[in-house]
Amino acid sequence: MARIYLSPPDLSEADHKAVAAALASNWVAPVGPELASFEASVCEMTGRQAGLALNSGTAALHLALRELGIGKGDIVLCPSFTFAASANPILYCGATPVFLGSEARTWNLDPEALKEALEVLSASGQKPKAVIVVQLYGQCAEMPAIEKLCADHEVALIEDAAEALGASCDGRPAGSFGDFSFFSFNGNKIITSSGGGMLLSNDVAKLEHARKLSMQAREPVTHYEHCELGYNYRMSNVLAALGRSQLADLERRISVRKGHYAAYESALGDLPGLAFMPVVDAEAANFWLTCITIDPLKSGTDSASVIKHLEESNIEARPLWKPLRLQPVFEGIQYFGNHIEEDLFSKGLCLPSGSSLTDNERETIIKLVRSCYNKS
Ligand SMILES: Cc1ncc(COP(=O)(O)O)c(C=O)c1O
């Protein structure tokens, strides 16, 4: 059987045509009309003033931190329950991350942990310079509470919406929160530009400066003049064409992924000790991945056995994000929270959820998960 991936790229005839047209136009480098159009489309959907298409979401976060003046000795708060790319750029800047725990309602950054960290660190003269909030697995965090805490403490907010294109919170789109926000368009995201990301802001001047940094910080003179440190972070015009074509298909993709969640829930929801990632508002999530937890004490099986059983049938499932606090590369980093994400990591997994997953493939996955219970 052909391998079933967790969330593979889903390419249409229209995508092929968009890429072919970009190639035929000869705008194949990181400059050209597709870049401006892709940026304008994402700005329109998020209500942001300015967008910058880049070669990754990680690059977008790095530039956001640079634009906020984050440097050596600065503290940046970041959820522990996320992918390493949410925190790595803090280290690129020579700054220090402090990790925050999750809350049970959305699995995202716990406002209580944020409050405690802001108060404790500020009282000891170590006021954080920025907060990164992550919209995990396509569902937004408790944004009003987080925004208020950042405003009260006058701390900058960056929204990592890498996984949340098309999601929203109280009617406000993911990608519209904070001083800066960003999306990822890497191969496993809800839309892909092969690899890529986009930085967004309402601060047009800062965003334009980030644009300059993303192209080696070249000064606007005839020869190559560089007064500040730059990067080669810009997206190719060919990939912007792909991203723009995929974006036009976003609504269908969300509804297919939502269908996977519903089908898994109705077929597996009766199993003892098996729970689904809580979805606070089904109209507001993008259902990027269907995530479940399996309590070994109530199930007689566990997430590692289910992942192994699926793998034996050439099906990819993955554990939930390993909390950054437990990652060797971040050893010794300070933490505020109640460790619920560590429990989620020990019990949780993501099921194949791609928009090209067929009903038959999903049925096979459901049978295999159920058979783990029968075995036990
Ligand atoms: C939560 C989160 N943040 C950041 C990133 C980084 O994005 P990229 O892979 O485009 O660098 C990703 C995805 O990889 C992610 O899932």
Side-chain angles (χ1 to χ4, degrees):
M1 191 173 86
R3 184 160 175 79
I4 298 176
Y5 289 97
L6 188 72
S7 180
D10 178 8
L11 295 179
S12 69
E13 191 62 37
D15 297 333
H16 283 264
K17 284 190 179 142
V19 171
L23 290 173
S25 76
N26 207 42
W27 292 104
V28 297
V31 57
E34 289 294 337
L35 284 161
S37 300
F38 190 29
E39 287 164 356
S41 303
V42 177
C43 282
E44 196 188 323
M45 91 173 256
T46 56
R48 282 296 207 188
Q49 299 288 311
L52 172 61
L54 297 163
N55 55 20
S56 71
T58 310
L61 177 55
H62 189 193
L63 291 176
L65 293 167
R66 278 279 322 253
E67 290 306 320
L68 291 169
I70 308 293
K72 204 166 162 29
D74 291 331
I75 290 180
V76 178
L77 303 179
C78 175
S80 182
F81 195 36
T82 183
F83 182 47
S86 300
N88 285 341
I90 303 171
L91 299 186
Y92 301 167
C93 294
T96 304
V98 170
F99 293 134
L100 303 176
S102 293
E103 41 86 11
R105 213 170 81 100
T106 69
W107 291 5
N108 282 310
L109 190 157
D110 181 1
E112 288 301 318
L114 174 59
K115 184 168 183 285
E116 191 194 353
L118 287 168
E119 287 173 2
V120 170
L121 292 168
S122 299
S124 64
Q126 297 174 286
K127 184 179 153 175
K129 206 153 175 189
V131 174
I132 298 169
V133 61
V134 183
Q135 321 288 29
L136 213 62
Y137 298 120
Q139 172 163 252
C140 287
E142 297 190 6
M143 292 311 299
I146 292 165
E147 283 179 308
K148 183 166 185 324
L149 283 165
C150 289
D152 290 350
H153 286 261
E154 296 179 334
V155 177
L157 178 62
I158 300 173
E159 182 198 8
D160 175 346
E163 301 173 1
L165 185 75
S168 60
C169 175
D170 296 342
R172 295 162 64 197
S176 68
F177 295 93
D179 299 273
F180 288 93
S181 48
F182 69 94
F183 293 117
S184 165
F185 310 118
N186 79 19
N188 71 16
K189 293 298 183 286
I190 196 156
I191 70 161
T192 186
S193 58
S194 90
M198 195 174 295
L199 180 64
L200 298 153
S201 181
N202 295 333
D203 188 330
V204 179
K206 283 210 171 86
L207 210 283
E208 286 314 309
H209 186 252
R211 191 181 302 278
K212 177 186 171 191
L213 295 187
S214 77
M215 295 183 285
Q216 306 287 21
R218 189 178 168 190
E219 296 299 326
V221 292
T222 316
H223 66 277
Y224 283 87
E225 180 80 7
H226 305 275
C227 302
E228 50 190 337
L229 184 62
Y231 309 92
N232 186 4
Y233 278 174
R234 194 72 163 123
M235 180 185 276
S236 157
N237 188 67
V238 178
L239 303 185
L242 176 57
R244 197 157 77 85
S245 166
Q246 292 248 307
L247 185 63
D249 189 36
L250 179 63
E251 286 313 313
R252 181 194 68 84
R253 287 158 186 258
I254 293 174
S255 104
V256 172
R257 286 180 190 252
K258 190 174 180 175
H260 293 327
Y261 183 102
Y264 282 131
E265 196 177 32
S266 79
L268 301 172
D270 63 314
L271 292 172
L274 188 149
F276 282 74
M277 175 176 131
V279 175
V280 175
D281 176 357
E283 295 309 307
N286 77 357
F287 293 89
W288 175 49
L289 295 181
T290 294
C291 303
I292 58 173
T293 54
I294 296 174
D295 184 340
L297 298 177
K298 296 183 189 150
S299 305
T301 185
D302 58 22
S303 59
S305 307
V306 172
I307 291 171
K308 186 164 171 281
H309 192 53
L310 291 170
E311 188 56 53
E312 282 160 5
S313 294
N314 207 14
I315 297 169
E316 181 188 32
R318 282 199 206 152
L320 300 180
W321 295 125
K322 179 174 176 175
L324 300 185
R325 196 187 75 83
L326 305 178
Q327 297 285 3
V329 68
F330 293 117
E331 201 186 333
I333 297 285
Q334 200 175 356
Y335 170 87
F336 292 85
N338 56 17
H339 301 271
I340 76 150
E341 65 283 355
E342 289 163 29
D343 187 50
L344 290 171
F345 169 60
S346 73
K347 293 185 182 144
L349 70 146
C350 313
L351 293 171
S353 309
S355 48
S356 54
L357 185 76
T358 66
D359 290 359
N360 280 345
E361 288 172 333
R362 199 177 58 211
E363 276 314 304
T364 305
I365 294 161
I366 287 167
K367 280 194 193 115
L368 287 166
V369 174
R370 290 198 75 92
S371 70
C372 290
Y373 278 74
N374 297 339
K375 267 203 286 188
S376 61

